[in-house]
Amino acid sequence: MNKLKVGVLMGGKSIEKEVSFNSGRTICDHLDTARYTVIPLFQHHTGALYILPWRFLHRGKISDFEQRLASQAERISWNSLKTRIDFMYIATHGRYAEDGTLQGFLEVLQIPYLGSKVMASALGMDKIVQKNILHTHGILVPQGITVTPDELTEYTTHPQKLAHVLQQEQLSLPCIIKPHKEGSSLGISVAYTLDELMVSITKAVFIEHTKTQSVVVEEYVTGMEFSCIILTDYKTGQKLPLPPTEVIPEKDSAFFDYHQKYMPGRATKFTPARCNSTVIEAIQQTCMRVMDILDIKNVARIDGFVTTDARIVITDPNTLSGMAPSSFLFRQAAELNMSHTQVINHLIETELAQYSMLSSLISQEQQSTNSLYQPKKLRVAVLLGGRSHEKEISLESGRNIFYKLSPQKYTPIAIFVDSQLQLHVIDQSLLVRNSTKEIELGLKPHMRIEWDDLATLADFVFIGLHGGEGENGCIQGTLEMLGIPYNGSSVFTSALCMDKFKANNYLRSQGFQVPQGILVPASDWSTDKQTTLQKINNTCSYPLIVKPHDDGCSVLVYKVHNDQQLITALEALFADKQFALIEECIMGMELTVGVIGNTTVTALPPSQAVCTGDILSIEEKFLPGAGENQTPAPLPEDTLIVVQQTMVAAYKALNCKGYARIDCFYQTADQSPTGNERVVLIEVNTLPGMTPATCIFHQAAEIGIQPMDFIDMIVKLGLEEHTAQVAFEQPAKEHEIFN
């Protein structure tokens, strides 16, 4: 079968390039490889176009690979695209991507592409003209004014003129301020005073540093905020409105901002929206009208509000939707039980039908399917959620694992572990929820299963949990008792590594370098703070790192420089924890290294974790565009080998199995108190994060292992470790995996 070559364009020249990179990665991850040949395309902010190496695709941030593009990626011309791809899946956002610019170029190149055509794209990106047209057609839009860059200059000198304009237009504070040609909430703010309004307008005018732009100042609409996706049923030509999502910004937040959109577990979303069917239908009908008025094709995302008096006010029509794993598109399609791959297939099929390219593709598939042998698939239950501080990251990890289990080899089953450690088999609708809280609210009695049921439901359990019982040996012990093979390390190793203080003491006894530290019980602190402070000061000197001994993901971690900061940190930590681990602050290059294997062990290329503050924040770990990782770390080759050898030795010393991620610091001879270079181990994670952009994926990609293959390896290693006889495909021997 000749597969359709689909180019997935990500990156771009706009300020939304990081969000675009996140969308592009999701599309590449979920495109049906049985049907399509996936070609990742990356546009640099300078405009240069590259075929992106797969090893770069799963980085957390563009700067993680940007400096390597010229030497390690194939630069191509736009004119050559016609020979490289059959179809362009547009995953870029903002300027030059959604405003008709890219669409115009693809028309000239005669390359079929996803989404609306030139005029609709240009109109959909211009919030000023768009509002006027919708208003003319009777669609309610927020009342507002436009401020041009020239007017801003005048208002800066004479702010009373702006106040006069607001009064003339009967526009009162607070107001929403937004650039007229940007998305992803970038440059948007709320102003409550005239001074704040001037600051916000200035920020929005200059949000794109290469050029100024006009700004929309709108009334602050209150009510139920919604986002509604409209698809097209290409078989009937009819629009297919999906169940709208209700968005509830976080407490003390004036609007649904960038962090709430893209950080795991932020804000609250309900799909379908919590309103009656009459209101749902009114939202859908209005959004379909907007789509018609603006001539948007294939897919649209329409944002708006239902006011307290039941008016539907449209705030932001979009010709393309963001495509992060838990985006509105996938969340709403899941209500129709459509998986990510099915949604993406639907969007492409809709375009191919318009280009008269679909029938030949389907005909080829039918011929191919009739001749293929269908092997028996392994049933893999993916545990996600839990009750630790890391449950939101676990949701991201588990969902990613579920979607990256090869559909040719496995039947994945999503198992949600709730706050009481009870199990629930969840469907697509719940799997794509924004937070564990939302999943719990949507659970139904028929979803509930017992732990004993796992043995009949699944052939293998993939633990996608982090922290708490998921990583400390409890779940491992449960699965051992039930006789079910699973991923990762044993009960003992899991329990030991989860206790950072005990693990470091053990590693020290085995000759490894670890930070000097002390474990402080909350009871000692409450009994005698002064004596406890003295014990700490006698053990190690400032600066110090204060953290839980049994948690991860940068939860409750502080860097302190004096007694007062230490007291503040301990008080905060003891409000939630019974012990505090206090360690010397190690200076040097912070590294994180994935390790994989059972008896034959391989350390992946180390990554340098670059942080902007004292410690690596949770945002730098998981927010698109925040944080930076350099893989391989910028160290000499012989030094990288020393680091990898140390990781392998520590992994074996702790008897880790399957895979792990070890965090450490590398110190040069000048930095080291010993006068010799050294590698100082910080912690060993036996169930490292498996979110789409996590370090371990791009470390594996550096040696040619794509995420789906990496997860496949973990399953095989789990089967090899925990199963004597497997009635399915026998796991590859380790020498076959690594050679």
Side-chain angles (χ1 to χ4, degrees):
M1 173 180 168
N2 294 321
K3 297 181 183 179
L4 194 79
K5 294 175 290 186
V6 176
V8 180
L9 183 63
M10 63 195 88
K13 298 167 67 175
S14 82
I15 59 176
E16 298 182 67
K17 55 184 176 289
E18 296 290 355
V19 177
S20 162
F21 179 53
N22 197 24
S23 289
R25 176 175 55 239
T26 304
I27 302 307
C28 289
D29 282 348
H30 297 287
L31 266 168
D32 185 352
T33 54
R35 166 181 272 190
Y36 308 118
T37 297
V38 186
I39 302 173
L41 298 170
F42 180 81
Q43 185 185 26
H44 192 253
H45 67 82
T46 60
L49 187 65
Y50 299 90
I51 294 181
L52 194 70
W54 281 90
R55 64 181 180 276
F56 292 172
L57 187 62
H58 295 88
R59 303 304 174 92
K61 187 178 181 181
I62 291 170
S63 61
D64 290 352
F65 60 83
E66 192 172 21
Q67 74 283 1
R68 299 169 62 189
L69 283 170
S71 60
Q72 299 182 34
E74 180 186 357
R75 183 168 179 176
I76 60 173
S77 67
W78 287 92
N79 286 330
S80 70
L81 273 180
K82 186 71 174 176
T83 63
R84 298 296 192 110
I85 65 174
D86 302 311
F87 180 83
M88 178 71 87
Y89 198 112
I90 301 174
T92 42
H93 304 306
R95 288 176 183 262
Y96 310 104
E98 292 179 83
D99 61 1
T101 306
L102 173 62
Q103 289 77 6
F105 200 1
L106 292 173
E107 293 282 354
V108 169
L109 296 172
Q110 300 180 64
I111 297 174
Y113 59 89
L114 175 74
S116 295
K117 306 314 168 190
V118 177
M119 180 60 190
S121 297
L123 181 57
M125 196 64 189
D126 191 318
K127 294 179 175 63
I128 297 170
V129 179
Q130 178 194 98
K131 282 182 61 179
N132 290 334
I133 290 177
L134 291 177
H135 177 70
T136 300
H137 283 79
I139 300 294
L140 295 179
V141 295
Q143 181 183 355
I145 63 170
T146 300
V147 178
T148 67
D150 288 341
E151 288 171 332
L152 173 62
T153 302
E154 184 179 357
Y155 293 155
T156 301
T157 308
H158 306 288
Q160 67 276 9
K161 290 188 177 181
L162 176 58
H164 179 66
V165 171
L166 294 176
Q167 187 176 16
Q168 274 189 321
E169 297 298 323
Q170 298 182 332
L171 190 60
S172 59
L173 295 168
C175 288
I176 289 280
I177 301 90
K178 52 188 176 186
H180 87 293
K181 283 193 174 182
E182 308 294 347
S184 296
S185 298
L186 292 166
I188 298 181
S189 56
V190 178
Y192 295 88
T193 67
L194 189 60
D195 287 343
E196 289 179 356
L197 181 58
M198 287 300 303
V199 171
S200 295
I201 293 173
T202 302
K203 176 184 175 183
V205 164
F206 294 98
I207 188 67
E208 167 55 82
H209 68 277
T210 60
K211 59 177 69 177
T212 59
Q213 63 180 293
S214 295
V215 170
V216 176
V217 179
E218 294 180 339
E219 65 175 309
Y220 184 73
V221 182
T222 58
M224 185 193 80
E225 185 173 0
F226 69 81
S227 187
C228 185
I229 299 289
I230 312 292
L231 301 178
T232 303
D233 184 347
Y234 64 87
K235 295 176 182 177
T236 64
Q238 300 298 308
K239 291 181 176 59
L240 178 63
L242 300 183
T245 298
E246 175 187 357
V247 180
I248 303 176
E250 294 175 337
K251 185 179 180 182
D252 301 324
S253 176
F255 68 100
F256 187 45
D257 61 23
Y258 182 87
H259 281 70
Q260 293 177 61
K261 280 187 176 181
Y262 301 111
M263 271 297 289
R266 297 288 297 270
T268 302
K269 303 170 190 172
F270 293 95
T271 307
R274 298 174 301 170
C275 49
N276 62 47
S277 58
T278 302
V279 176
I280 293 283
E281 185 178 358
I283 291 171
Q284 293 173 324
Q285 291 297 326
T286 303
C287 291
M288 286 191 288
R289 275 201 66 211
V290 170
M291 197 173 176
D292 282 335
I293 292 166
L294 299 178
D295 199 28
I296 299 174
K297 302 297 184 184
N298 193 341
V299 61
R301 195 195 83 226
I302 314 295
D303 301 336
F305 284 84
V306 179
T307 64
T308 52
D309 56 354
R311 293 178 300 122
I312 296 174
V313 180
I314 300 301
T315 57
D316 190 16
N318 297 269
T319 54
L320 290 172
S321 175
M323 296 186 182
S326 58
S327 63
F328 291 121
L329 171 65
F330 296 127
R331 173 67 195 87
Q332 293 175 24
E335 288 296 311
L336 306 185
N337 205 31
M338 295 175 72
S339 70
H340 288 41
T341 296
Q342 290 170 327
V343 174
I344 293 166
N345 272 344
H346 179 89
L347 293 175
I348 296 177
E349 286 175 354
T350 300
E351 295 296 349
L352 294 180
Q354 294 299 313
Y355 287 105
S356 302
M357 298 168 61
L358 182 59
S359 57
S360 61
L361 178 68
I362 293 175
S363 176
Q364 285 187 64
E365 285 179 338
Q366 288 173 342
Q367 294 176 18
S368 177
T369 302
N370 291 337
S371 63
L372 288 179
Y373 166 70
Q374 302 295 323
K376 189 175 182 180
K377 297 179 183 180
L378 195 74
R379 299 171 300 167
V380 178
V382 182
L383 301 185
L384 51 97
R387 63 180 182 183
S388 78
H389 285 107
E390 303 175 63
K391 60 188 177 184
E392 304 303 339
I393 307 304
S394 166
L395 172 57
E396 290 286 309
S397 288
R399 178 163 50 214
N400 190 47
I401 293 162
F402 180 93
Y403 287 129
K404 285 191 173 72
L405 281 162
S406 170
Q408 280 74 42
K409 297 181 180 180
Y410 305 110
T411 299
I413 305 157
I415 308 288
F416 179 72
V417 184
D418 68 18
S419 56
Q420 301 302 312
L421 299 185
Q422 295 178 334
L423 304 183
H424 309 263
V425 178
I426 59 174
D427 56 16
Q428 293 282 350
S429 171
L430 287 181
L431 183 60
V432 295
R433 297 295 170 101
N434 189 56
S435 66
T436 56
K437 179 181 177 182
E438 289 181 31
I439 292 178
E440 293 216 22
L441 289 172
L443 294 173
K444 300 293 189 293
H446 72 272
M447 300 175 179
R448 175 88 166 82
I449 63 169
E450 301 297 339
W451 284 95
D452 292 278
D453 297 331
L454 281 177
T456 55
L457 186 70
D459 308 302
F460 184 90
V461 170
F462 201 119
I463 308 171
L465 305 171
H466 303 310
E469 293 85 358
E471 204 167 350
N472 68 6
C474 293
I475 300 298
Q476 289 77 7
T478 301
L479 297 174
E480 292 280 1
M481 288 295 291
L482 294 172
I484 307 173
Y486 59 91
N487 59 304
S489 295
S490 67
V491 175
F492 173 72
T493 298
S494 298
L496 176 61
C497 291
M498 194 59 190
D499 189 319
K500 298 179 178 67
F501 184 67
K502 288 186 173 68
N504 280 358
N505 283 344
Y506 176 77
L507 288 169
R508 183 185 292 111
S509 74
Q510 299 300 301
F512 294 93
Q513 298 289 319
V514 296
Q516 187 64 36
I518 181 173
L519 190 66
V520 177
S523 56
D524 286 3
W525 179 251
S526 61
T527 302
D528 191 341
K529 292 182 174 58
Q530 195 57 46
T531 300
T532 305
L533 280 175
Q534 190 60 50
K535 286 181 181 178
I536 295 170
N537 291 328
N538 289 340
T539 303
C540 39
S541 304
Y542 291 110
L544 299 172
I545 300 296
V546 181
K547 60 186 179 183
H549 77 302
D550 60 353
D551 239 323
C553 290
S554 300
V555 174
L556 296 172
V557 180
Y558 308 92
K559 184 177 180 179
V560 299
H561 299 269
N562 53 53
D563 281 359
Q564 187 54 55
Q565 291 180 0
L566 175 58
I567 291 169
T568 302
L570 288 173
E571 293 288 353
L573 195 148
F574 285 139
D576 186 70
K577 294 287 184 179
Q578 293 302 308
F579 292 91
L581 176 57
I582 300 171
E583 294 179 335
E584 63 173 317
C585 181
I586 304 296
M587 307 304 294
M589 182 181 289
E590 186 171 1
L591 303 173
T592 185
V593 188
V595 187
I596 186 164
N598 288 337
T599 55
T600 301
V601 179
T602 298
L604 301 175
S607 298
Q608 179 192 13
V610 181
C611 61
T612 56
D614 282 339
I615 55 174
L616 196 65
S617 68
I618 191 169
E619 287 79 13
E620 287 174 313
K621 287 185 177 182
F622 300 110
L623 181 66
E628 182 177 340
N629 289 284
Q630 294 295 331
T631 309
L635 290 168
E637 184 64 29
D638 57 347
T639 302
L640 290 174
I641 291 172
V642 168
V643 172
Q644 290 174 298
Q645 289 173 340
T646 305
M647 299 304 106
V648 168
Y651 185 93
K652 290 182 174 180
L654 292 164
N655 200 28
C656 294
K657 299 294 181 180
Y659 66 121
R661 193 195 77 239
I662 304 178
D663 300 334
C664 65
F665 278 85
Y666 169 74
Q667 292 183 322
T668 63
D670 291 338
Q671 293 171 321
S672 171
T674 66
N676 299 308
E677 71 169 357
R678 63 175 189 158
V679 178
V680 184
L681 303 177
I682 302 299
E683 63 179 82
V684 178
N685 300 273
T686 54
L687 290 177
M690 301 289 276
T691 60
T694 193
C695 280
I696 204 164
F697 281 135
H698 52 78
Q699 289 173 10
E702 279 293 313
I703 60 172
I705 306 171
Q706 293 185 21
M708 188 173 286
D709 297 327
F710 186 65
I711 289 175
D712 186 43
M713 289 171 62
I714 292 171
V715 173
K716 289 178 178 178
L717 288 165
L719 289 170
E720 182 182 84
E721 179 66 17
H722 299 292
T723 311
Q725 299 269 330
V726 183
F728 300 89
E729 176 190 0
Q730 289 296 319
K733 299 300 181 183
E734 289 185 76
H735 70 272
E736 296 173 355
I737 293 174
F738 297 114
N739 295 320

